[in-house]
Amino acid sequence: MKKYFVWIMLFAILVLSLLNINKTVNYNNYDEINLLSQMSESELKNKKYSNDDINKIKAFGVNYNNYLKLLDIVKNDNLKNHGYNNRNLNSELMSNFVYNKNDNDIQDDNLSFTTTVIDFFRDKNTDRDVGRIIIEFEWDTEAYNQNQYIDIKHPNYALVNVYGLLKYKNIKDKSIEYKMFEDYPIETFRIDYRKIINKQKYILKSGIIVLDVMSFYKESIAPLSISSKYIIKPFLRKEKILSEYIINVEKNEN
């Protein structure tokens, strides 16, 4: 009798532990996330979503709208008109600040990777310096089958907003799918090399990531210094930097 009782207790503990496992969000199903984003934080906790997932769900609305704007720009081939696609600063913008870019010697032949500051000014509403950073990348060949990351540092500036658009190609029929950029940490952005979409295998081709930053301090901080790296992390080997940018932006005092 004791033996059966022990087995029943172990089974009950197992069931309770399974009930307490956090759910995970299916980030390929935007309709599902949209419905979840309309729930309160307490409702999401009751449904066993983790704090990280709840934060992403709550940020979904704004990020999704920005993603749709980027998608419309890309599909209508208007990247250059909106300041993306390796934009060069024009004379009007250059009159507002001095822009120095140091392209590192590290450049992978199969990867095009750029980082550009397209806005840098004093925000009258917050009385702080703010900037907008655009990161773009594109693979000329099939992307390397490793974990891929973009590491970006901007000392004295906080990340206020980040959104993006990733382009994936079907391995078999070469069709294209666009997905939201889903990882929103502070410094290192993880990028999925492979995705399963509608039970089909897709691989990464290119991406655009937009970052809005704001100075920690009300006193003017110059320059806005940026270190941007595209990194792969092979299994059981040291990470490798494929491309790197070092950028300094200062206000033009003239």
Side-chain angles (χ1 to χ4, degrees):
M1 193 70 181
K2 283 185 178 180
K3 182 179 179 181
Y4 288 116
F5 178 75
V6 170
W7 279 110
I8 291 170
M9 288 298 295
L10 289 173
F11 179 76
I13 292 170
L14 177 63
V15 170
L16 287 172
S17 64
L18 289 173
L19 289 174
N20 286 322
I21 293 176
N22 285 335
K23 289 184 180 179
T24 56
V25 177
N26 179 8
Y27 290 108
N28 287 322
N29 190 334
Y30 295 154
D31 291 336
E32 176 187 333
I33 305 177
N34 189 40
L35 290 173
L36 291 172
S37 68
Q38 298 171 36
M39 296 182 181
S40 67
E41 186 172 336
S42 59
E43 288 176 315
L44 292 171
K45 284 184 177 179
N46 288 335
K47 286 182 173 291
K48 303 298 181 183
Y49 286 104
S50 68
N51 289 334
D52 286 341
D53 277 337
I54 290 173
N55 290 335
K56 289 182 180 180
I57 289 168
K58 287 311 190 182
F60 174 78
V62 173
N63 292 330
Y64 186 61
N65 286 334
N66 287 325
Y67 155 78
L68 290 177
K69 290 177 184 176
L70 274 179
L71 182 60
D72 180 67
I73 290 170
V74 168
K75 286 190 172 182
N76 288 288
D77 199 25
N78 286 325
L79 281 171
K80 292 182 180 178
N81 295 334
H82 285 77
Y84 304 104
N85 197 28
N86 305 341
R87 169 177 173 171
N88 292 319
L89 297 174
N90 59 37
S91 57
E92 181 182 352
L93 286 170
M94 285 295 287
S95 66
N96 296 327
F97 55 86
V98 179
Y99 182 89
N100 298 313
K101 182 166 64 175
N102 174 25
D103 296 352
N104 194 283
D105 291 337
I106 304 170
Q107 291 289 342
D108 188 273
D109 291 338
N110 297 317
L111 172 68
S112 170
F113 177 69
T114 61
T115 302
T116 309
V117 177
I118 66 168
D119 284 308
F120 183 54
F121 60 93
R122 191 73 172 177
D123 182 15
K124 293 180 180 178
N125 294 324
T126 61
D127 195 28
R128 296 174 190 268
D129 290 338
V130 297
R132 171 162 288 180
I133 305 163
I134 305 295
I135 296 175
E136 298 173 80
F137 64 90
E138 183 172 4
W139 287 94
D140 294 332
T141 60
E142 185 173 316
Y144 302 144
N145 189 9
Q146 284 120 350
N147 296 323
Q148 302 184 24
Y149 300 83
I150 292 177
D151 183 82
I152 182 166
K153 292 182 173 60
H154 35 81
N156 298 319
Y157 282 78
L159 184 61
V160 176
N161 192 26
V162 56
Y163 54 94
L165 176 74
L166 299 176
K167 180 180 179 180
Y168 287 88
K169 183 175 73 174
N170 190 300
I171 292 177
K172 289 185 177 180
D173 63 17
K174 311 304 180 184
S175 60
I176 297 298
E177 286 283 343
Y178 293 97
K179 304 301 292 183
M180 280 179 65
F181 179 68
E182 297 156 1
D183 202 25
Y184 301 100
I186 295 175
E187 288 187 343
T188 303
F189 303 90
R190 182 181 58 81
I191 302 168
D192 290 331
Y193 161 73
R194 294 182 182 270
K195 266 193 178 296
I196 303 297
I197 304 172
N198 298 325
K199 298 181 180 180
Q200 297 285 318
K201 292 182 180 178
Y202 286 77
I203 56 171
L204 180 69
K205 285 301 295 177
S206 62
I208 301 173
I209 301 172
V210 183
L211 305 98
D212 293 327
V213 296
M214 176 184 291
S215 169
F216 284 121
Y217 313 102
K218 288 195 172 182
E219 295 80 7
S220 179
I221 300 295
L224 167 58
S225 299
I226 301 165
S227 167
S228 172
K229 302 175 184 177
Y230 198 106
I231 300 169
I232 59 171
K233 296 184 179 181
F235 183 63
L236 296 180
R237 284 190 293 162
K238 188 178 180 181
E239 69 179 34
K240 180 180 179 181
I241 300 172
L242 297 185
S243 184
E244 182 177 13
Y245 274 78
I246 299 170
I247 297 171
N248 291 296
V249 183
E250 299 182 56
K251 290 181 179 178
N252 193 340
E253 302 297 338
N254 297 328

